[in-house]
Amino acid sequence: MEISPFARLDRVRLPDGRVGAVVGVWNLGEAYDVHVGDALETWSADDLAPAD
């Protein structure tokens, strides 16, 4: 099993350009709960990129 690239990141970039904070992990890193503004959204790991 490969460790997720987002396992130790606080911030990720979403496909629409917003940046959010990772606050939860689903299914060993297949999906992440991301806090964006005032909302909590769940995103697939394939949709996220490291924030600069």
Side-chain angles (χ1 to χ4, degrees):
M1 181 171 76
E2 184 177 322
I3 295 175
S4 167
F6 305 109
R8 294 185 180 85
L9 292 179
D10 292 330
R11 298 182 336 143
V12 292
R13 184 166 307 281
L14 305 176
D16 59 8
R18 296 179 296 160
V19 174
V22 173
V23 295
V25 180
W26 289 88
N27 297 330
L28 299 173
E30 290 181 15
Y32 291 85
D33 286 335
V34 180
H35 187 255
V36 184
D38 292 331
L40 183 64
E41 302 177 11
T42 300
W43 286 87
S44 167
D46 296 333
D47 294 331
L48 302 175
D52 297 331

